[in-house]
Short mmCIF file of all heavy atoms in Angstrom, two decimals:
data_model
loop_
_atom_site.label_atom_id
_atom_site.label_comp_id
_atom_site.label_asym_id
_atom_site.label_seq_id
_atom_site.Cartn_x
_atom_site.Cartn_y
_atom_site.Cartn_z
N MET A 16 132.57 116.38 100.02
CA MET A 16 131.73 115.49 100.80
C MET A 16 132.00 115.53 102.39
O MET A 16 133.15 115.46 102.70
CB MET A 16 131.90 113.98 100.26
CG MET A 16 130.92 113.02 100.91
SD MET A 16 131.45 111.29 100.42
CE MET A 16 130.78 111.26 98.77
N PRO A 17 131.01 115.79 103.16
CA PRO A 17 131.19 115.75 104.59
C PRO A 17 131.75 114.42 105.14
O PRO A 17 131.45 113.36 104.64
CB PRO A 17 129.77 116.02 105.19
CG PRO A 17 128.84 115.73 104.13
CD PRO A 17 129.50 115.78 102.76
N ASP A 18 132.54 114.49 106.10
CA ASP A 18 133.13 113.39 106.69
C ASP A 18 132.15 112.64 107.69
O ASP A 18 131.82 113.18 108.68
CB ASP A 18 134.45 113.77 107.55
CG ASP A 18 135.04 112.59 108.18
OD1 ASP A 18 134.70 111.44 107.76
OD2 ASP A 18 135.82 112.70 109.00
N GLN A 19 131.65 111.49 107.15
CA GLN A 19 130.60 110.78 107.95
C GLN A 19 131.21 109.48 108.45
O GLN A 19 130.45 108.53 108.79
CB GLN A 19 129.37 110.55 107.20
CG GLN A 19 128.73 111.90 106.87
CD GLN A 19 127.34 111.71 106.17
OE1 GLN A 19 127.15 110.64 105.56
NE2 GLN A 19 126.44 112.66 106.31
N THR A 20 132.51 109.36 108.43
CA THR A 20 133.13 108.04 108.86
C THR A 20 132.84 107.86 110.36
O THR A 20 132.86 106.77 110.84
CB THR A 20 134.59 108.00 108.52
OG1 THR A 20 135.17 109.22 108.94
CG2 THR A 20 134.75 107.86 107.08
N ASN A 21 132.84 108.99 111.13
CA ASN A 21 132.53 108.89 112.59
C ASN A 21 131.10 109.02 112.79
O ASN A 21 130.47 109.98 112.53
CB ASN A 21 133.26 110.06 113.31
CG ASN A 21 134.73 109.66 113.49
OD1 ASN A 21 135.11 108.56 113.48
ND2 ASN A 21 135.52 110.72 113.49
N HIS A 22 130.49 107.79 113.18
CA HIS A 22 129.07 107.86 113.45
C HIS A 22 128.88 108.45 114.91
O HIS A 22 128.86 107.74 115.89
CB HIS A 22 128.43 106.51 113.33
CG HIS A 22 128.31 106.16 111.93
ND1 HIS A 22 127.26 106.53 111.09
CD2 HIS A 22 129.05 105.39 111.13
CE1 HIS A 22 127.44 106.07 109.91
NE2 HIS A 22 128.51 105.33 109.88
N ALA A 23 128.64 109.72 115.02
CA ALA A 23 128.48 110.27 116.30
C ALA A 23 127.14 110.06 116.84
O ALA A 23 126.14 109.93 116.04
CB ALA A 23 128.61 111.82 116.27
N PRO A 24 126.94 109.76 118.22
CA PRO A 24 125.76 109.39 118.77
C PRO A 24 124.66 110.46 118.50
O PRO A 24 123.56 110.14 118.52
CB PRO A 24 125.97 109.22 120.29
CG PRO A 24 127.48 109.06 120.38
CD PRO A 24 128.11 109.79 119.18
N GLU A 25 125.05 111.73 118.37
CA GLU A 25 124.11 112.73 118.23
C GLU A 25 123.49 112.81 116.83
O GLU A 25 122.59 113.52 116.50
CB GLU A 25 124.70 114.12 118.60
CG GLU A 25 125.70 114.69 117.63
CD GLU A 25 127.13 114.34 118.21
OE1 GLU A 25 127.14 113.35 118.99
OE2 GLU A 25 128.03 115.07 117.82
N SER A 26 124.03 112.00 115.83
CA SER A 26 123.51 112.04 114.50
C SER A 26 122.25 111.16 114.46
O SER A 26 122.11 110.15 113.77
CB SER A 26 124.49 111.40 113.52
OG SER A 26 124.86 110.14 113.92
N ALA A 27 121.25 111.72 115.12
CA ALA A 27 119.97 110.94 115.21
C ALA A 27 119.18 111.01 113.90
O ALA A 27 118.30 110.30 113.71
CB ALA A 27 119.10 111.50 116.32
N GLY A 28 119.59 111.88 112.96
CA GLY A 28 118.97 112.05 111.67
C GLY A 28 119.65 111.13 110.65
O GLY A 28 119.33 111.23 109.45
N THR A 29 120.65 110.34 111.11
CA THR A 29 121.25 109.46 110.14
C THR A 29 120.95 108.07 110.48
O THR A 29 120.96 107.56 111.59
CB THR A 29 122.77 109.71 110.27
OG1 THR A 29 123.05 111.08 110.06
CG2 THR A 29 123.59 108.89 109.32
N CYS A 30 120.68 107.31 109.38
CA CYS A 30 120.38 105.82 109.54
C CYS A 30 121.69 105.13 110.05
O CYS A 30 122.67 105.28 109.40
CB CYS A 30 119.88 105.35 108.26
SG CYS A 30 119.72 103.52 108.08
N PRO A 31 121.54 104.30 111.00
CA PRO A 31 122.74 103.61 111.52
C PRO A 31 123.16 102.50 110.67
O PRO A 31 124.25 101.93 110.75
CB PRO A 31 122.29 103.04 112.92
CG PRO A 31 120.82 103.03 112.88
CD PRO A 31 120.45 104.09 111.84
N LEU A 32 122.28 102.20 109.68
CA LEU A 32 122.62 101.03 108.75
C LEU A 32 123.34 101.52 107.46
O LEU A 32 124.29 100.84 107.05
CB LEU A 32 121.52 100.17 108.46
CG LEU A 32 120.79 99.41 109.65
CD1 LEU A 32 119.52 98.75 109.14
CD2 LEU A 32 121.69 98.49 110.21
N CYS A 33 122.78 102.58 106.90
CA CYS A 33 123.37 102.94 105.54
C CYS A 33 124.05 104.32 105.61
O CYS A 33 124.65 104.74 104.70
CB CYS A 33 122.21 102.93 104.62
SG CYS A 33 120.99 104.17 104.76
N GLY A 34 123.87 105.08 106.71
CA GLY A 34 124.46 106.43 106.81
C GLY A 34 123.78 107.43 106.09
O GLY A 34 124.28 108.58 106.03
N GLN A 35 122.56 107.18 105.52
CA GLN A 35 121.86 108.19 104.79
C GLN A 35 120.85 108.86 105.73
O GLN A 35 120.55 108.32 106.88
CB GLN A 35 121.10 107.63 103.67
CG GLN A 35 121.91 106.93 102.64
CD GLN A 35 122.93 107.82 101.96
OE1 GLN A 35 122.56 108.96 101.48
NE2 GLN A 35 124.18 107.53 101.81
N ALA A 36 120.33 110.03 105.39
CA ALA A 36 119.33 110.66 106.21
C ALA A 36 118.14 109.77 106.38
O ALA A 36 117.70 109.28 105.42
CB ALA A 36 118.95 112.00 105.58
N ASN A 37 117.70 109.64 107.61
CA ASN A 37 116.48 108.75 107.84
C ASN A 37 115.16 109.44 107.75
O ASN A 37 114.15 108.82 107.97
CB ASN A 37 116.73 108.00 109.20
CG ASN A 37 116.83 108.94 110.33
OD1 ASN A 37 116.40 110.07 110.29
ND2 ASN A 37 117.32 108.46 111.37
N GLY A 38 115.21 110.75 107.71
CA GLY A 38 113.85 111.52 107.55
C GLY A 38 113.09 111.46 108.90
O GLY A 38 111.82 111.66 108.85
N CYS A 39 113.76 111.17 109.97
CA CYS A 39 113.10 111.08 111.28
C CYS A 39 112.71 112.39 111.84
O CYS A 39 113.56 113.35 111.82
CB CYS A 39 113.92 110.34 112.18
SG CYS A 39 113.07 110.07 113.85
N MET A 40 111.38 112.54 112.28
CA MET A 40 110.99 113.85 112.83
C MET A 40 111.63 113.98 114.16
O MET A 40 111.67 115.22 114.61
CB MET A 40 109.37 113.82 112.98
CG MET A 40 108.77 113.99 111.63
SD MET A 40 107.15 114.57 111.87
CE MET A 40 106.56 114.59 110.10
N GLY A 41 111.82 112.98 114.90
CA GLY A 41 112.44 113.09 116.32
C GLY A 41 113.80 113.75 116.11
O GLY A 41 114.14 114.66 116.95
N ALA A 42 114.61 113.49 114.99
CA ALA A 42 115.77 114.04 114.80
C ALA A 42 115.69 115.56 114.39
O ALA A 42 116.59 116.31 114.73
CB ALA A 42 116.62 113.28 113.70
N ALA A 43 114.60 115.88 113.87
CA ALA A 43 114.38 117.32 113.47
C ALA A 43 113.79 118.11 114.68
O ALA A 43 113.47 119.25 114.52
CB ALA A 43 113.45 117.34 112.30
N GLY A 44 113.72 117.49 115.80
CA GLY A 44 113.26 118.20 117.06
C GLY A 44 111.78 118.26 117.17
O GLY A 44 111.28 118.97 117.96
N ARG A 45 111.14 117.44 116.34
CA ARG A 45 109.68 117.34 116.51
C ARG A 45 109.28 116.09 117.24
O ARG A 45 110.08 115.27 117.59
CB ARG A 45 109.04 117.39 115.08
CG ARG A 45 109.33 118.69 114.35
CD ARG A 45 108.39 118.81 113.25
NE ARG A 45 109.18 119.28 112.05
CZ ARG A 45 108.65 119.15 110.83
NH1 ARG A 45 107.42 118.55 110.66
NH2 ARG A 45 109.26 119.49 109.77
N SER A 46 108.02 116.07 117.38
CA SER A 46 107.43 114.89 118.08
C SER A 46 107.69 113.63 117.25
O SER A 46 107.38 113.49 116.11
CB SER A 46 105.98 115.01 118.34
OG SER A 46 105.36 113.84 118.80
N HIS A 47 108.22 112.66 118.01
CA HIS A 47 108.48 111.30 117.42
C HIS A 47 107.18 110.61 116.96
O HIS A 47 107.02 109.71 116.02
CB HIS A 47 109.33 110.40 118.24
CG HIS A 47 110.30 109.59 117.36
ND1 HIS A 47 111.33 109.05 118.03
CD2 HIS A 47 110.27 109.35 116.14
CE1 HIS A 47 111.97 108.41 117.01
NE2 HIS A 47 111.39 108.55 115.90
N ALA A 48 106.09 110.99 117.65
CA ALA A 48 104.81 110.35 117.43
C ALA A 48 104.35 110.59 115.95
O ALA A 48 103.53 109.78 115.39
CB ALA A 48 103.77 110.80 118.39
N GLY A 49 104.79 111.74 115.34
CA GLY A 49 104.40 112.02 113.99
C GLY A 49 105.37 111.49 112.95
O GLY A 49 105.15 111.69 111.81
N CYS A 50 106.39 110.78 113.41
CA CYS A 50 107.39 110.24 112.50
C CYS A 50 106.92 109.13 111.68
O CYS A 50 106.06 108.28 112.29
CB CYS A 50 108.56 109.87 113.38
SG CYS A 50 109.90 109.27 112.35
N TRP A 51 107.31 109.01 110.50
CA TRP A 51 106.84 107.87 109.65
C TRP A 51 107.23 106.50 110.39
O TRP A 51 106.39 105.51 110.27
CB TRP A 51 107.46 107.95 108.28
CG TRP A 51 108.97 107.61 108.32
CD1 TRP A 51 109.92 108.70 108.43
CD2 TRP A 51 109.71 106.52 108.39
NE1 TRP A 51 111.13 108.12 108.51
CE2 TRP A 51 111.13 106.72 108.38
CE3 TRP A 51 109.33 105.10 108.22
CZ2 TRP A 51 112.02 105.81 108.41
CZ3 TRP A 51 110.25 104.18 108.15
CH2 TRP A 51 111.67 104.44 108.29
N CYS A 52 108.30 106.52 111.09
CA CYS A 52 108.73 105.18 111.76
C CYS A 52 107.80 104.79 112.88
O CYS A 52 107.74 103.66 113.20
CB CYS A 52 110.11 105.38 112.27
SG CYS A 52 110.35 106.56 113.68
N ALA A 53 106.99 105.69 113.30
CA ALA A 53 105.99 105.32 114.44
C ALA A 53 104.84 104.51 113.87
O ALA A 53 104.12 103.99 114.56
CB ALA A 53 105.48 106.60 115.12
N HIS A 54 104.71 104.55 112.56
CA HIS A 54 103.60 103.87 111.91
C HIS A 54 104.04 102.69 111.19
O HIS A 54 103.28 102.00 110.51
CB HIS A 54 102.90 104.82 110.82
CG HIS A 54 102.40 106.12 111.55
ND1 HIS A 54 101.31 106.13 112.39
CD2 HIS A 54 102.88 107.34 111.51
CE1 HIS A 54 101.25 107.39 112.81
NE2 HIS A 54 102.09 108.09 112.32
N GLU A 55 105.38 102.31 111.35
CA GLU A 55 105.89 101.14 110.55
C GLU A 55 106.24 100.15 111.70
O GLU A 55 106.48 100.40 112.83
CB GLU A 55 107.22 101.56 109.88
CG GLU A 55 107.01 102.52 108.74
CD GLU A 55 106.35 101.84 107.50
OE1 GLU A 55 106.30 100.57 107.49
OE2 GLU A 55 105.96 102.45 106.61
N VAL A 56 106.29 98.87 111.21
CA VAL A 56 106.72 97.78 112.05
C VAL A 56 108.13 97.37 111.64
O VAL A 56 108.47 97.15 110.49
CB VAL A 56 105.76 96.50 111.80
CG1 VAL A 56 106.39 95.29 112.63
CG2 VAL A 56 104.35 96.80 112.16
N PHE A 57 109.07 97.43 112.62
CA PHE A 57 110.42 97.16 112.37
C PHE A 57 110.67 95.70 113.00
O PHE A 57 110.52 95.54 114.20
CB PHE A 57 111.33 98.14 113.09
CG PHE A 57 111.27 99.46 112.48
CD1 PHE A 57 110.25 100.37 112.75
CD2 PHE A 57 112.25 99.87 111.57
CE1 PHE A 57 110.18 101.73 112.17
CE2 PHE A 57 112.18 101.18 110.95
CZ PHE A 57 111.27 102.01 111.28
N PRO A 58 111.05 94.81 112.02
CA PRO A 58 111.35 93.38 112.46
C PRO A 58 112.50 93.43 113.45
O PRO A 58 113.55 94.19 113.38
CB PRO A 58 111.59 92.70 111.12
CG PRO A 58 111.20 93.58 110.16
CD PRO A 58 111.27 94.89 110.59
N GLN A 59 112.43 92.59 114.46
CA GLN A 59 113.58 92.37 115.41
C GLN A 59 114.76 92.00 114.69
O GLN A 59 115.88 92.39 115.12
CB GLN A 59 113.14 91.23 116.49
CG GLN A 59 112.25 91.74 117.52
CD GLN A 59 112.81 92.85 118.43
OE1 GLN A 59 113.86 92.93 118.72
NE2 GLN A 59 111.97 94.03 118.55
N GLU A 60 114.72 91.28 113.63
CA GLU A 60 115.96 90.81 112.89
C GLU A 60 116.62 92.00 112.25
O GLU A 60 117.90 91.98 112.21
CB GLU A 60 115.52 89.87 111.76
CG GLU A 60 115.08 88.53 112.26
CD GLU A 60 116.20 87.75 112.93
OE1 GLU A 60 117.33 87.88 112.47
OE2 GLU A 60 115.97 87.18 113.99
N LEU A 61 115.90 93.13 112.03
CA LEU A 61 116.48 94.30 111.47
C LEU A 61 117.23 95.03 112.61
O LEU A 61 118.36 95.52 112.32
CB LEU A 61 115.43 95.25 110.87
CG LEU A 61 115.88 96.40 110.16
CD1 LEU A 61 116.90 96.08 109.08
CD2 LEU A 61 114.73 97.10 109.48
N PHE A 62 116.70 95.17 113.82
CA PHE A 62 117.39 95.69 114.85
C PHE A 62 118.66 95.04 115.26
O PHE A 62 119.52 95.74 115.81
CB PHE A 62 116.38 95.75 116.08
CG PHE A 62 115.46 96.86 116.02
CD1 PHE A 62 114.04 96.59 116.08
CD2 PHE A 62 115.82 98.24 116.06
CE1 PHE A 62 113.16 97.71 115.98
CE2 PHE A 62 114.90 99.25 115.96
CZ PHE A 62 113.53 99.04 115.98
N LYS A 63 118.74 93.73 114.97
CA LYS A 63 119.92 93.07 115.37
C LYS A 63 121.16 93.53 114.53
O LYS A 63 122.23 93.30 114.82
CB LYS A 63 119.70 91.50 115.15
CG LYS A 63 118.86 90.85 116.22
CD LYS A 63 118.68 89.44 115.90
CE LYS A 63 117.76 88.84 116.89
NZ LYS A 63 117.31 87.41 116.53
N ARG A 64 120.85 94.11 113.40
CA ARG A 64 121.97 94.75 112.58
C ARG A 64 122.39 96.05 113.04
O ARG A 64 123.35 96.62 112.55
CB ARG A 64 121.40 94.81 111.15
CG ARG A 64 121.01 93.45 110.60
CD ARG A 64 120.58 93.79 109.12
NE ARG A 64 120.14 92.46 108.54
CZ ARG A 64 120.08 92.24 107.26
NH1 ARG A 64 120.33 93.19 106.43
NH2 ARG A 64 119.77 91.10 106.76
N VAL A 65 121.63 96.70 113.92
CA VAL A 65 122.03 98.08 114.39
C VAL A 65 122.91 98.00 115.56
O VAL A 65 122.69 97.26 116.45
CB VAL A 65 120.72 98.81 114.73
CG1 VAL A 65 120.99 100.27 115.22
CG2 VAL A 65 119.71 98.85 113.60
N PRO A 66 124.08 98.72 115.43
CA PRO A 66 124.91 98.74 116.62
C PRO A 66 124.24 99.18 117.87
O PRO A 66 123.47 100.13 117.72
CB PRO A 66 126.07 99.72 116.22
CG PRO A 66 125.93 99.81 114.73
CD PRO A 66 124.59 99.46 114.29
N LYS A 67 124.52 98.55 118.97
CA LYS A 67 123.55 98.78 120.11
C LYS A 67 123.65 100.21 120.66
O LYS A 67 122.64 100.65 121.29
CB LYS A 67 123.80 97.77 121.22
CG LYS A 67 125.13 97.67 121.92
CD LYS A 67 125.06 96.69 122.96
CE LYS A 67 126.32 96.57 123.75
NZ LYS A 67 127.50 96.22 122.94
N GLU A 68 124.68 100.87 120.33
CA GLU A 68 124.80 102.32 120.80
C GLU A 68 123.91 103.24 120.08
O GLU A 68 123.50 104.27 120.45
CB GLU A 68 126.23 102.84 120.74
CG GLU A 68 126.81 102.89 119.41
CD GLU A 68 127.76 101.59 119.17
OE1 GLU A 68 127.28 100.61 119.57
OE2 GLU A 68 128.73 101.84 118.43
N PHE A 69 123.25 102.55 118.97
CA PHE A 69 122.36 103.47 118.15
C PHE A 69 120.87 103.10 118.39
O PHE A 69 120.00 103.72 118.01
CB PHE A 69 122.65 103.37 116.70
CG PHE A 69 123.93 104.08 116.31
CD1 PHE A 69 124.97 103.31 115.97
CD2 PHE A 69 124.01 105.48 116.29
CE1 PHE A 69 126.28 103.89 115.57
CE2 PHE A 69 125.21 106.01 115.92
CZ PHE A 69 126.31 105.28 115.53
N ILE A 70 120.71 102.03 119.10
CA ILE A 70 119.33 101.53 119.39
C ILE A 70 118.57 102.54 120.19
O ILE A 70 119.09 103.05 121.30
CB ILE A 70 119.30 100.19 120.13
CG1 ILE A 70 120.01 99.04 119.30
CG2 ILE A 70 117.92 99.79 120.55
CD1 ILE A 70 119.07 98.46 118.31
N GLY A 71 117.45 102.93 119.74
CA GLY A 71 116.64 104.02 120.51
C GLY A 71 117.14 105.38 120.28
O GLY A 71 116.54 106.34 120.84
N LYS A 72 118.28 105.54 119.46
CA LYS A 72 118.67 106.97 119.32
C LYS A 72 118.52 107.41 117.94
O LYS A 72 118.10 108.53 117.58
CB LYS A 72 120.22 107.03 119.71
CG LYS A 72 120.36 106.90 121.19
CD LYS A 72 121.88 106.97 121.46
CE LYS A 72 122.16 106.80 123.00
NZ LYS A 72 123.53 106.65 123.34
N ALA A 73 118.90 106.49 117.00
CA ALA A 73 118.82 106.87 115.59
C ALA A 73 117.86 105.95 114.83
O ALA A 73 117.94 104.78 115.03
CB ALA A 73 120.20 106.80 114.83
N CYS A 74 116.94 106.47 114.16
CA CYS A 74 115.98 105.71 113.38
C CYS A 74 116.64 105.01 112.28
O CYS A 74 117.39 105.60 111.49
CB CYS A 74 114.76 106.49 112.94
SG CYS A 74 113.74 106.98 114.19
N ILE A 75 116.12 103.82 111.87
CA ILE A 75 116.53 103.14 110.69
C ILE A 75 115.71 103.90 109.56
O ILE A 75 114.56 104.20 109.70
CB ILE A 75 116.21 101.63 110.63
CG1 ILE A 75 117.04 101.01 111.69
CG2 ILE A 75 116.33 101.02 109.28
CD1 ILE A 75 116.47 99.62 112.12
N CYS A 76 116.41 104.04 108.42
CA CYS A 76 115.65 104.75 107.32
C CYS A 76 114.67 103.93 106.63
O CYS A 76 114.80 102.69 106.76
CB CYS A 76 116.72 105.43 106.31
SG CYS A 76 117.32 104.29 105.11
N LYS A 77 113.73 104.46 105.88
CA LYS A 77 112.69 103.78 105.21
C LYS A 77 113.19 102.86 104.19
O LYS A 77 112.77 101.72 103.92
CB LYS A 77 111.68 104.84 104.55
CG LYS A 77 110.34 104.25 104.42
CD LYS A 77 109.29 105.38 104.15
CE LYS A 77 107.92 104.83 104.36
NZ LYS A 77 106.85 105.88 104.33
N GLU A 78 114.35 103.29 103.51
CA GLU A 78 114.83 102.52 102.41
C GLU A 78 115.38 101.21 103.03
O GLU A 78 115.26 100.09 102.43
CB GLU A 78 115.89 103.28 101.68
CG GLU A 78 115.32 104.28 100.79
CD GLU A 78 116.30 104.84 99.70
OE1 GLU A 78 117.42 104.07 99.44
OE2 GLU A 78 116.00 105.85 99.24
N CYS A 79 116.13 101.23 104.15
CA CYS A 79 116.65 100.04 104.69
C CYS A 79 115.57 99.13 105.22
O CYS A 79 115.55 97.87 105.02
CB CYS A 79 117.57 100.37 105.94
SG CYS A 79 119.17 101.04 105.39
N LEU A 80 114.51 99.70 105.76
CA LEU A 80 113.38 98.93 106.21
C LEU A 80 112.67 98.20 105.00
O LEU A 80 112.43 96.98 105.01
CB LEU A 80 112.30 99.83 106.92
CG LEU A 80 111.02 99.10 107.22
CD1 LEU A 80 111.33 98.09 108.35
CD2 LEU A 80 110.01 100.15 107.78
N GLU A 81 112.43 98.92 103.96
CA GLU A 81 111.78 98.40 102.79
C GLU A 81 112.69 97.33 102.07
O GLU A 81 112.31 96.31 101.60
CB GLU A 81 111.32 99.43 101.86
CG GLU A 81 110.19 100.20 102.48
CD GLU A 81 109.63 101.28 101.63
OE1 GLU A 81 110.22 101.63 100.56
OE2 GLU A 81 108.59 101.82 102.08
N ALA A 82 113.99 97.55 102.07
CA ALA A 82 114.90 96.66 101.38
C ALA A 82 114.92 95.33 102.22
O ALA A 82 114.98 94.27 101.70
CB ALA A 82 116.33 97.29 101.36
N PHE A 83 114.82 95.48 103.54
CA PHE A 83 114.86 94.30 104.42
C PHE A 83 113.62 93.47 104.22
O PHE A 83 113.61 92.26 104.06
CB PHE A 83 114.82 94.73 105.89
CG PHE A 83 115.08 93.65 106.81
CD1 PHE A 83 116.26 93.16 107.20
CD2 PHE A 83 113.84 93.04 107.38
CE1 PHE A 83 116.30 92.12 108.04
CE2 PHE A 83 113.89 92.00 108.22
CZ PHE A 83 115.14 91.51 108.67
N LYS A 84 112.41 94.26 104.05
CA LYS A 84 111.16 93.47 103.82
C LYS A 84 111.19 92.83 102.53
O LYS A 84 110.66 91.68 102.30
CB LYS A 84 109.99 94.44 103.89
CG LYS A 84 109.75 94.82 105.38
CD LYS A 84 108.49 95.87 105.33
CE LYS A 84 108.06 96.24 106.70
NZ LYS A 84 107.09 97.18 106.68
N ARG A 85 111.75 93.46 101.46
CA ARG A 85 111.71 92.96 100.01
C ARG A 85 112.58 91.76 100.00
O ARG A 85 112.17 90.86 99.40
CB ARG A 85 112.33 94.09 99.14
CG ARG A 85 111.36 94.54 98.13
CD ARG A 85 112.02 95.40 97.09
NE ARG A 85 113.27 96.08 97.41
CZ ARG A 85 113.35 97.33 97.75
NH1 ARG A 85 112.24 98.00 97.89
NH2 ARG A 85 114.44 97.83 97.99
N ASN A 86 113.75 91.82 100.64
CA ASN A 86 114.65 90.68 100.60
C ASN A 86 114.18 89.52 101.44
O ASN A 86 114.59 88.37 101.29
CB ASN A 86 116.10 91.01 100.99
CG ASN A 86 116.61 92.11 99.98
OD1 ASN A 86 116.27 92.10 98.88
ND2 ASN A 86 117.50 92.94 100.46
N GLY A 87 113.37 89.78 102.54
CA GLY A 87 112.92 88.81 103.35
C GLY A 87 113.99 88.04 104.08
O GLY A 87 113.82 86.91 104.42
N GLU A 88 115.01 88.77 104.37
CA GLU A 88 116.08 88.12 105.03
C GLU A 88 115.82 87.91 106.51
O GLU A 88 115.13 88.63 107.30
CB GLU A 88 117.32 88.99 105.00
CG GLU A 88 117.92 88.96 103.55
CD GLU A 88 119.12 89.99 103.44
OE1 GLU A 88 119.69 90.25 104.55
OE2 GLU A 88 119.34 90.47 102.34
ZN1 ZN B 1 119.23 103.23 105.89
ZN1 ZN B 2 111.73 108.21 113.68
#
């Protein structure tokens, strides 16, 4: 298993909440406008859970977004 205990800032392809791949197109070197995250609404409450050094760098993955919406926290 790769060592992912160090969340490096360049890991834009990794969800800052769960550490799984976020499937972000921006991380793959493509236009972020085509990323799934550009078409989703991310609640401010969800961003509050993201360490601020990752805000605007790494996308939250779809699973975390949907889990947040499901739980309605
Ligand atoms: Zn996640
Ligand atoms: Zn994205």
Side-chain angles (χ1 to χ4, degrees):
M16 188 187 281
D18 181 15
Q19 294 187 335
T20 50
N21 284 330
H22 285 281
E25 67 265 26
S26 60
T29 304
C30 172
L32 293 178
C33 69
Q35 301 297 311
N37 58 19
C39 181
M40 285 199 183
R45 296 196 226 165
S46 168
H47 215 163
C50 182
W51 65 269
C52 67
H54 305 286
E55 293 282 348
V56 176
F57 290 81
Q59 281 300 315
E60 287 298 314
L61 187 54
F62 278 118
K63 285 179 186 170
R64 300 182 177 198
V65 180
K67 63 177 181 303
E68 61 264 38
F69 290 108
I70 297 277
K72 291 182 181 169
C74 286
I75 294 164
C76 77
K77 204 164 195 169
E78 286 198 19
C79 284
L80 175 63
E81 287 180 353
F83 185 89
K84 286 180 177 175
R85 241 191 337 262
N86 295 335
E88 289 175 25

